[in-house]
């Protein structure tokens, strides 16, 4: 067998392994209780990032969809979370599905926009509102 053939087989095996790992990670993230698909961007940023968000006690953990990392890249504390408004996606929102809702939020980490399915918005707002009072 020629060296180039062995190299091609190794590259193909690595690509298949990466794709399988990526798909397994996504399936694992979406299988958890309280896991939802959510788009996120800092206010004024040009691009949205799609990911999986988990409600974890007092935090919303956000994992980017296009990553192999098992650690969240965003941790948003619900006691520091304030929804200031909502809107429908516009043409400028690009990848965000047209039937989504965009929430304009103020967080401890700065202003953010979150886009999600309307049924997810209901659960998300309930989670925010059920936050225990400050000072407890």
């Amino acid at each position: 067998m020629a060296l180039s053939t062995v190299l091609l087989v190794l590259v193909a095996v690595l690509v298949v392994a990466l794709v399988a790992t990526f798909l397994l990670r996504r399936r694992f993230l979406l299988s958890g209780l309280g896991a939802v698909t959510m788009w996120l961007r800092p206010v004024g940023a040009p691009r949205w990032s799609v990911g999986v968000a988990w409600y974890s006690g007092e935090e919303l953990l956000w994992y980017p969809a296009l990553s192999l990392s098992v650690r969240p890249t965003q941790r948003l504390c619900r006691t520091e979370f304030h929804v200031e408004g909502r809107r429908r996606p516009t043409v400028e929102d690009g990848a965000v599905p047209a039937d989504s809702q965009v929430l304009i939020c103020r967080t401890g980490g700065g202003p953010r926009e979150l886009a999600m399915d309307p049924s997810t918005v209901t659960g998300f707002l309930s989670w925010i509102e059920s936050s225990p009072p400050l000072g407890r």
Side-chain angles (χ1 to χ4, degrees), residues 76-127:
L76 304 172
C77 181
R78 84 170 154 178
T79 57
E80 299 174 351
F81 217 102
H82 303 281
V83 177
E84 297 181 335
R86 71 168 84 180
R87 64 179 177 81
R88 301 298 270 162
T90 63
V91 174
E92 291 80 32
D93 291 317
V96 175
D99 63 340
S100 298
Q101 292 261 325
V102 177
L103 300 179
I104 298 101
C105 305
R106 189 170 24 97
T107 71
R112 303 258 193 285
E113 288 183 306
L114 304 175
M116 59 196 87
D117 183 83
S119 63
T120 303
V121 170
T122 303
F124 178 75
L125 293 175
S126 294
W127 178 74

Side-chain angles (χ1 to χ4, degrees), residues 34-106:
V36 294
T37 299
M38 187 179 291
W39 289 260
L40 179 132
R41 78 172 172 182
V43 170
R47 297 183 62 189
W48 287 90
S49 298
V50 66
V52 175
W54 274 19
Y55 301 108
S56 176
E58 294 303 307
E59 291 183 313
L60 179 75
L61 306 176
W62 188 84
Y63 300 81
L66 301 176
S67 172
L68 293 176
S69 175
V70 294
R71 294 185 181 178
T73 58
Q74 300 281 323
R75 291 177 179 268
L76 304 172
C77 181
R78 84 170 154 178
T79 57
E80 299 174 351
F81 217 102
H82 303 281
V83 177
E84 297 181 335
R86 71 168 84 180
R87 64 179 177 81
R88 301 298 270 162
T90 63
V91 174
E92 291 80 32
D93 291 317
V96 175
D99 63 340
S100 298
Q101 292 261 325
V102 177
L103 300 179
I104 298 101
C105 305
R106 189 170 24 97

